[in-house]
């Protein structure tokens, strides 16, 4: 093959070296606009997995890199003078300049033609003259830009400012310095890359950067200010520069990674924030994958498709973690009031790739310290798993922090709950959750979503729900709450399994909304609610709330999320009114707050009233996480004991960023900025499915409770099983006496094979030289 590579960085050079080793007859030409000695940055970090891949592919490169590696296993976090060390991580780093020189020499030795100080020819010319054109030309790739219609790139420019520096201070581990300055929070990301120096990245929000006056300083004066600010941390050592300048990080994503015989590699294809990964590491992994695919596949087209199929999901997973980390550092100022130990745990688990169980395996002492600190803050006598620490929502005390999230069952007749609801909700309460929530219980017949929704608009429904609450209170130690709502423009639709959000085929009823706008293209067109409609809705909520109290519910939640009536008033994409209920957010809040105030007044003070909100609409011009903070603030000021933080379902055009615990950052923001200072609680919900995730969320202070829905459909006894898996036996997860015989995990299939506990190591004469004991440990999840 004739291969043209635009970009002589580590990714491009490593690909060239690999391809030459696979077939010396490949004709490979590299163009690099910089001189051979030009390199930017200081050190690059590699994971053990990447190093292993390099070792398998090219032992020479691996061995030369290994000779230069700085290795360490700890992460050190210094939070305003409070220091923490967490072990068991495992990192390797080396000088970027050394790596580049090594790869340059390797490429030269293998016969790769490299043109330094030379821009690559036009891509159209290259793709007609070469079999393969590799765009390894960096984050501002000209080739990607030229074929943007095919690659479909998105460039996400972020708010934080950072500058890549070095220092002659050799850190002993990966080092985070977090400092509260007179201008705001600043942080240092540092790590050693040799026995002579360390990378020293300074980062802060742009607002902090401007308040500190960096926007008016040249680089020399900026370095002096950084050195003065971090004088204690630098301990007399120098700061080094290398074409250093202030930057805003840009996350690069591409829908496609190849076009005909042109393929993207490294930063041209993707970027991930430096707090979670190394661009050099990802580029060299790309090179390994691309070389393997080109060698294994019978045609170029199949090879490039295989490369994209293999690498794109891996990179996107890294980018999701990097995005969570990036956003955490953008909002680091929110956590200024956290206790140092919790802040440290929060920092370490920011990307959701590291969890409490991970840290417990790596550093059990640190894990115990975090669990004990949480117990102390909760006023508990012992350090048990965070999910089993008691918690209060207003005056209501819950035995643990697990909630069965509201889930519509669409199984009622004329709004009447029946034996199905008794079994459904009763089984979840028997399963150990601290609080079980009903589905959205509709306040009127016209407020139903479907004909199968339950209601509380008459006394027969009240009495049927009383049967459920009596069971929960008499047979379990859990509590039960009701969620009250009105469907608004999303009403009069089919049962979920017959066509969710689709109008009924017959017997439709009139639906109302803040404005005559449908939820989606094939959905009902609502009538704009007038004053009489709004008055009736308030009256219906009050009547339903009073029936809920009579029915014996321990908590009442007002449903102001998911595009139902109150949620649609809150959202600017659903509410286009020009009266006092439309326009700016304070106006859009007016009617939902009228409803909440009326419900709060109708419910005795011994019963908390909470509210569920959609923290973002997931569409342009919709509500954002910043609006959610103000919405939550308004409800808390009006007496909400907790904010249940969900998102979306406000318009059919939404584009949610799904992922593990993907809604938790919204809950986190509301807790830090609104709820915790006011004494209200925050409930996180959304793709939380493991006890490890629950404990990690709680220990980091991102929420006070976690609500799990589908997880409880899969396993109604999830909470009890989570207790058994964590060896917890206590009141917070007490098994019903009838079930106690099953409280131990059943044995797995039996085997008569006994694994050896001893391994005899023998010398060449087959004589044992010593005995080694191999402990049997459960592998990490």
């Amino acid at each position: 093959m004739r291969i043209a590579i635009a970009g002589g960085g580590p990714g491009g050079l490593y690909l060239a070296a690999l391809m030459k080793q696979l077939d010396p007859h490949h004709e490979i030409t590299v163009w690099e606009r910089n001189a051979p000695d030009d390199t930017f940055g200081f050190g690059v970090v590699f994971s053990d997995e990447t190093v292993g891949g390099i070792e398998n592919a090219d032992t020479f490169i691996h061995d030369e890199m290994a000779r230069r590696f700085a290795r360490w296993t700890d992460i050190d976090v210094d939070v305003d003078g409070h220091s923490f060390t967490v072990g068991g991580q495992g990192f390797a780093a080396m000088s970027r300049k050394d790596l580049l020189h090594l790869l340059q020499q390797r490429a030269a030795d293998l016969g790769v033609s490299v043109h330094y100080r030379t821009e690559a020819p036009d891509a159209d010319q290259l793709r007609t003259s070469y079999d393969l054109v590799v765009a390894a030309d960096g984050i501002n790739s000209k080739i990607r830009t030229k074929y943007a219609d095919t690659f479909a790139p998105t460039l996400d420019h972020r708010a934080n400012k950072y500058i890549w520096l070095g220092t002659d201070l050799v850190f002993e581990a990966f080092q985070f310095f977090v400092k509260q300055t007179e201008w705001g929070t600043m942080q240092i990301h540092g790590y050693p890359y040799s026995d002579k120096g360390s990378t020293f990245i300074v980062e802060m929000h742009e607002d902090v950067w401007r308040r500190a006056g960096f926007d008016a300083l040249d680089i020399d004066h900026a370095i002096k200010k950084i050195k003065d600010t971090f004088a204690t941390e630098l301990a007399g050592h120098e700061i080094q520069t290398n074409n250093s300048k202030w930057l805003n990080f840009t996350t690069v994503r591409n829908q496609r990674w190849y076009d005909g015989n042109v393929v993207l590699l490294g930063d041209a294809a993707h970027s991930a924030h430096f707090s979670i990964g190394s661009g050099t590491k990802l580029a060299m992994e790309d090179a390994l994958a691309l070389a393997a695919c080109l060698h294994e596949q019978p045609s170029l087209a199949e090879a490039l498709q295989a490369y994209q199929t293999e690498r794109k999901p891996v990179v996107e997973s890294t980018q999701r973690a990097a995005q969570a980390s990036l956003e955490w550092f953008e909002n680091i100022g929110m956590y200024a009031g956290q206790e140092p130990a919790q802040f440290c745990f929060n920092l370490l688990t920011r990307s959701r790739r590291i969890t409490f169980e991970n840290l417990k395996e790596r550093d059990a002492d640190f894990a115990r310290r975090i669990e004990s600190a949480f117990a102390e803050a909760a006023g508990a006598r012992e350090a048990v798993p965070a999910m089993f620490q008691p918690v209060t929502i207003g005056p209501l005390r819950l035995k643990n922090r697990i909630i069965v999230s509201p889930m519509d069952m669409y199984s009622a007749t004329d709004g009447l709950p029946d034996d199905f609801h008794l079994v459904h909700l009763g089984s979840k309460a028997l399963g150990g959750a601290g609080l079980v929530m009903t589905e959205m219980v509709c306040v009127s017949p016209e407020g139903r979503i479907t004909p199968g929704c339950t209601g509380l608009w008459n006394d027969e429904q009240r009495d049927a729900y009383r049967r459920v609450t009596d069971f929960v209170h008499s047979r379990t130690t859990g509590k039960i709450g009701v969620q009250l709502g009105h469907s608004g423009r999303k009403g009069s639709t089919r049962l979920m399994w017959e066509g969710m959000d689709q109008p009924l085929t017959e017997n439709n009823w009139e639906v109302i909304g803040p404005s005559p706008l449908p939820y989606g293209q094939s959905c009902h067109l609502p009538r704009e609610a007038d004053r009489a409609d709004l008055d009736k809705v308030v009256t219906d909520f009050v009547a339903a709330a009073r029936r809920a109290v009579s029915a014996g519910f321990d908590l009442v939640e007002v449903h102001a999320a998911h595009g139902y009536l109150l949620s649609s008033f809150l959202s600017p994409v659903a509410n286009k009114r020009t009266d006092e209920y439309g326009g700016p957010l304070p106006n859009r809040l007016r009617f939902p707050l009228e409803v909440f105030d009326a419900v709060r007044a109708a419910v005795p003070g011994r019963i908390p009233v909470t509210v569920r909100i959609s923290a973002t609409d997931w569409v342009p011009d919709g509500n954002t996480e910043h609006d959610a903070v103000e919405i939550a603030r308004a409800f808390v000021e009006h007496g909400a004991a907790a904010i249940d933080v969900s998102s979306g379902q406000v318009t059919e055009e939404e584009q949610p960023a799904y992922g593990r615990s993907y809604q938790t950052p919204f809950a986190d923001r509301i807790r830090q900025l609104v709820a915790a200072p006011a004494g209200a609680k925050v409930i996180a919900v959304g793709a939380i499915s493991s006890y490890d995730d629950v404990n990690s969320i709680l220990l980091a202070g991102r929420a006070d409770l976690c609500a799990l829905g589908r997880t409880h459909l899969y396993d109604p006894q999830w909470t009890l099983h989570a207790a058994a898996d964590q060896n917890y036996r206590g009141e917070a997860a007490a098994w019903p006496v009838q079930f106690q015989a099953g409280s131990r995990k059943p044995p797995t299939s039996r085997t008569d094979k006994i694994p050896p506990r001893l391994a005899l190591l023998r010398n060449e004469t087959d004589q044992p030289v010593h005995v080694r004991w191999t402990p049997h440990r459960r592998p990490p999840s």
Side-chain angles (χ1 to χ4, degrees):
M1 293 180 69
R2 299 188 74 233
I3 302 173
I5 302 176
L13 289 173
Y14 189 46
L15 175 66
L18 290 171
M19 292 303 293
K20 267 294 190 182
Q21 291 174 87
L22 288 169
D23 187 345
H25 295 99
H26 288 316
E27 182 185 327
I28 304 174
T29 306
V30 179
W31 286 269
E32 169 54 49
R33 63 178 175 268
N34 294 310
D37 290 333
D38 290 344
T39 185
F40 310 112
F42 293 88
V44 291
V45 181
F46 296 95
S47 66
D48 290 341
E49 184 179 17
T50 305
V51 172
I54 294 171
E55 182 178 19
N56 289 336
D58 188 338
T59 56
F60 176 84
I61 289 291
H62 170 269
D63 292 346
E64 289 299 310
M65 290 174 63
R67 287 198 309 109
R68 297 165 171 82
F69 276 154
R71 291 186 179 273
W72 66 95
T73 60
D74 292 341
I75 295 177
D76 289 342
V77 181
D78 185 283
V79 186
D80 285 326
H82 299 273
S83 297
F84 302 88
T85 295
V86 184
Q89 315 301 317
F91 298 97
M94 66 180 295
S95 161
R96 179 178 171 83
K97 181 173 286 190
D98 287 350
L99 175 64
L100 203 57
H101 287 169
L102 171 61
L103 293 171
Q104 289 169 350
Q105 188 59 54
R106 183 65 166 159
D109 292 344
L110 292 167
V112 175
S113 176
V114 183
H115 301 291
Y116 294 105
R117 303 185 185 86
T118 307
E119 291 282 352
D122 181 75
D124 286 340
Q125 177 186 339
L126 289 175
R127 69 189 310 173
T128 58
S129 305
Y130 288 83
D131 300 308
L132 175 66
V133 179
V134 180
D137 50 346
I139 203 164
N140 298 311
S141 170
K142 291 182 179 179
I143 295 177
R144 183 192 66 222
T145 302
K146 185 178 183 68
Y147 304 121
D149 289 346
T150 300
F151 294 127
T154 57
L155 306 179
D156 182 13
H157 304 285
R158 303 305 301 186
N160 270 17
K161 286 286 188 180
Y162 72 97
I163 186 169
W164 208 287
L165 302 167
T167 176
D168 60 347
L169 170 60
V170 180
F171 296 127
E172 295 182 358
F174 209 114
Q175 179 72 62
F176 290 105
F177 292 115
V178 180
K179 194 159 193 169
Q180 304 302 329
T181 73
E182 60 185 291
W183 311 287
T185 307
M186 298 183 186
Q187 60 266 14
I188 301 295
H189 309 251
Y191 55 86
Y193 61 82
S194 73
D195 59 358
K196 295 184 175 59
S198 302
T199 295
F200 193 83
I201 305 170
V202 184
E203 185 188 22
M204 66 198 75
H205 195 280
E206 187 162 350
D207 293 343
V208 177
W209 181 78
R210 292 187 183 281
R211 285 197 295 269
F214 284 116
D215 56 329
L217 298 178
D218 61 29
I219 194 64
D220 291 335
H221 287 91
I223 298 304
K224 183 179 184 307
K225 191 178 191 75
I226 291 169
K227 189 173 180 180
D228 291 343
T229 303
F230 291 96
T232 301
E233 292 75 11
L234 285 165
H237 288 268
E238 294 300 318
I239 288 179
Q240 302 157 344
T241 63
N242 180 3
N243 197 36
S244 302
K245 54 189 173 185
W246 290 106
L247 301 168
N248 291 74
F249 190 82
T250 299
T251 301
V252 176
R253 300 178 178 89
N254 286 275
Q255 287 186 21
R256 281 179 59 88
W257 285 20
Y258 70 95
D259 174 29
N261 65 339
V262 179
V263 65
L264 304 177
L265 184 145
D267 283 352
H270 50 72
S271 63
H273 193 249
F274 50 81
S275 63
I276 202 70
S278 159
T280 299
K281 164 192 177 299
L282 292 174
M284 292 183 71
E285 289 176 347
D286 286 352
L288 283 165
L290 180 56
C293 291
L294 289 167
H295 186 64
E296 294 165 354
Q297 299 298 325
S299 70
L300 179 63
E302 290 170 292
L304 298 186
Q305 177 61 58
Y307 164 66
Q308 177 175 291
T309 301
E310 176 183 336
R311 281 296 290 164
K312 195 166 184 280
V314 175
V315 168
E316 288 174 346
S317 176
T318 300
Q319 287 185 313
R320 284 192 293 271
Q323 187 73 10
S325 179
L326 175 156
E327 292 176 2
W328 192 91
F329 279 110
E330 286 180 343
N331 296 300
I332 195 171
M334 291 195 312
Y335 308 110
Q338 280 194 327
E339 289 298 316
Q342 186 177 56
F343 180 95
C344 177
F345 179 79
N346 196 349
L347 185 153
L348 293 171
T349 59
R350 67 195 181 279
S351 72
R352 302 193 287 277
R353 281 196 162 185
I354 295 178
T355 64
F356 179 68
E357 289 297 314
N358 297 150
L359 286 176
K360 190 156 63 173
E361 287 190 2
R362 300 174 187 194
D363 193 328
D365 289 340
F366 178 76
R368 279 192 293 270
R369 181 176 181 180
I370 294 301
E371 210 165 47
S372 296
F374 187 84
E376 183 179 348
R381 289 174 295 177
E382 57 179 335
V384 301
M387 62 185 286
F388 295 119
Q389 294 289 4
V391 66
T392 58
I393 300 178
L396 179 66
R397 185 182 188 275
L398 302 178
K399 62 180 179 179
N400 62 49
R401 297 174 184 245
I402 299 300
I403 298 175
V404 176
S405 197
M407 294 174 284
D408 290 319
M409 294 289 108
Y410 308 111
S411 298
T413 302
D414 295 327
L416 192 69
D418 56 23
D419 287 350
F420 174 87
H421 300 86
L422 174 64
V423 174
H424 164 58
L425 296 170
S427 68
K428 306 306 180 292
L430 286 169
L435 175 67
V436 175
M437 293 297 299
T438 68
E439 61 196 87
M440 184 177 96
V441 176
C442 304
V443 298
S444 63
E446 63 274 12
R448 290 174 296 165
I449 309 166
T450 76
C453 292
T454 66
L456 269 175
W457 63 80
N458 63 45
D459 291 346
E460 186 182 7
Q461 296 160 350
R462 175 202 64 195
D463 295 342
Y465 263 123
R466 182 80 206 198
R467 185 165 167 247
V468 177
T469 63
D470 283 347
F471 177 88
V472 172
H473 293 147
S474 64
R475 294 292 190 175
T476 82
T477 55
K479 305 296 183 181
I480 183 166
V482 63
Q483 185 186 70
L484 299 179
H486 188 296
S487 60
R489 65 179 185 169
K490 295 177 75 174
S492 190
T493 58
R494 305 175 200 175
L495 304 183
M496 180 179 66
W497 45 87
E498 294 175 353
M500 189 167 64
D501 299 323
Q502 296 303 301
L504 293 167
T505 56
E506 58 183 1
N507 299 321
N508 282 280
W509 57 86
E510 185 181 46
V511 298
I512 60 172
S515 302
L517 297 169
Y519 171 71
Q521 288 188 351
S522 60
C523 300
H524 286 298
L525 180 67
R527 176 173 61 80
E528 181 170 305
D530 58 22
R531 183 67 258 176
D533 295 318
L534 301 185
D535 290 341
K536 182 179 185 306
V537 169
V538 173
T539 299
D540 290 339
F541 265 94
V542 168
R546 287 174 176 157
R547 288 192 179 94
V549 174
S550 297
F553 285 105
D554 302 299
L555 176 147
V556 175
E557 179 169 274
V558 174
H559 199 347
H562 297 172
Y564 299 120
L565 184 63
L566 302 187
S567 171
S568 60
F569 266 89
L570 291 171
S571 172
V573 301
N575 183 349
K576 302 294 184 182
R577 298 174 76 102
T578 57
D579 62 6
E580 68 270 29
Y581 294 107
L585 182 57
N587 285 7
R588 302 199 309 272
L589 268 162
R590 193 184 304 272
F591 181 62
L593 288 175
E594 285 181 12
V595 171
F596 182 87
D597 288 344
V599 170
R600 179 63 277 181
V603 173
R606 61 183 169 79
I607 297 176
V609 179
T610 66
V611 62
R612 171 171 275 203
I613 66 170
S614 285
T616 177
D617 292 344
W618 295 115
V619 290
D621 303 320
N623 279 332
T624 69
E625 67 270 25
H626 303 291
D627 299 307
V629 168
E630 299 311 313
I631 291 169
R633 191 188 310 280
F635 280 113
V636 168
E637 289 174 351
H638 282 245
I643 306 295
D644 188 356
V645 186
S646 188
S647 71
Q649 301 180 52
V650 173
T651 171
E652 203 172 56
E653 298 174 354
E654 68 176 3
Q655 293 186 323
Y658 292 121
R660 191 167 120 253
S661 308
Y662 72 105
Q663 294 177 156
T664 300
F666 305 132
D668 187 7
R669 176 181 287 271
I670 289 170
R671 185 178 189 274
Q672 307 306 326
L673 298 180
V674 175
K681 298 299 192 294
V682 164
I683 302 165
V685 59
I688 303 169
S689 57
S690 73
Y691 68 76
D692 190 17
D693 283 337
V694 171
N695 288 330
S696 298
I697 289 167
L698 298 174
L699 289 168
R702 297 182 183 117
D704 300 287
L705 304 98
C706 290
L708 294 81
R710 291 178 177 86
T711 303
H712 282 110
L713 296 181
Y714 180 78
D715 180 2
Q717 278 76 41
W718 182 85
T719 305
L720 296 179
H721 292 161
D725 287 343
Q726 297 173 83
N727 298 314
Y728 170 76
R729 291 179 176 273
E731 293 181 358
W735 285 69
V737 292
Q738 299 88 343
F739 292 177
Q740 281 182 357
S743 63
R744 295 188 177 216
K745 202 168 186 177
T748 56
S749 57
R750 180 173 178 174
T751 176
D752 292 327
K753 181 181 178 181
I754 301 175
R757 305 289 295 191
L758 301 174
L760 296 179
L761 304 185
R762 299 176 180 272
N763 60 20
E764 294 178 356
T765 62
D766 201 32
Q767 297 298 311
V769 290
H770 70 270
V771 175
R772 180 181 64 202
W773 175 67
T774 305
H776 295 277
R777 299 179 61 194
R778 178 185 294 179
S781 59

